[in-house]
């Protein structure tokens, strides 16, 4: 039997919920700020870990939003291709 533990997180449920509600642009901008804070240095270990966790959560959310947009674009392209294939045929007259 393995004993797997979930690492503790410094992000609160409220912070995670706020991230989940962010539009893409806001998540991207906050991710940039988290990366800049890490790159600038001068943070202690706890502060660095918090910025890392914040950045990870923001990146996952932004990627999820981009995935949703990609799925919508793919669906629209597929619908357009289907419409183009039936244009000028009896299939589109029904």
């Amino acid at each position: 039997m393995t004993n797997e533990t979930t690492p503790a997180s410094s992000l609160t449920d409220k912070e995670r919920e706020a991230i989940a509600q962010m539009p893409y642009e806001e998540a991207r901008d906050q991710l940039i700020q988290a990366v800049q804070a890490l790159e600038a240095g001068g943070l202690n270990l706890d502060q660095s870990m918090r910025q890392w966790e914040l950045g990870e959560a923001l990146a996952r959310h932004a990627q999820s939003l981009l995935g949703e947009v990609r799925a919508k674009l793919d669906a629209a392209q597929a619908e357009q291709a289907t419409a183009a294939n039936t244009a000028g045929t009896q299939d589109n007259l029904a």
Side-chain angles (χ1 to χ4, degrees):
M1 182 167 105
T2 59
N3 184 11
E4 295 183 27
T5 59
T6 303
S9 174
S10 63
L11 299 181
T12 66
D13 289 341
K14 186 175 182 179
E15 289 171 318
R16 290 180 188 282
E17 180 61 28
I19 290 170
Q21 300 302 316
M22 282 182 191
Y24 172 79
E25 294 79 6
E26 184 178 352
R28 180 202 59 217
D29 291 346
Q30 287 197 20
L31 174 58
I32 290 169
Q33 290 174 2
V35 169
Q36 288 172 340
L38 286 167
E39 288 176 340
L43 302 174
N44 66 35
L45 181 58
D46 288 337
Q47 293 168 328
S48 293
M49 287 302 299
R50 178 164 172 70
Q51 288 300 312
W52 181 269
E53 290 176 4
L54 181 60
E56 286 288 322
L58 290 163
R60 277 192 304 273
H61 178 60
Q63 188 61 45
S64 174
L65 291 172
L66 289 174
E68 290 173 13
V69 170
R70 169 51 53 197
K72 288 178 185 177
L73 287 173
D74 289 346
Q77 286 176 333
E79 185 177 323
Q80 185 179 21
T82 300
N85 289 339
T86 60
T89 67
Q90 292 296 319
D91 293 340
N92 67 352
L93 298 178

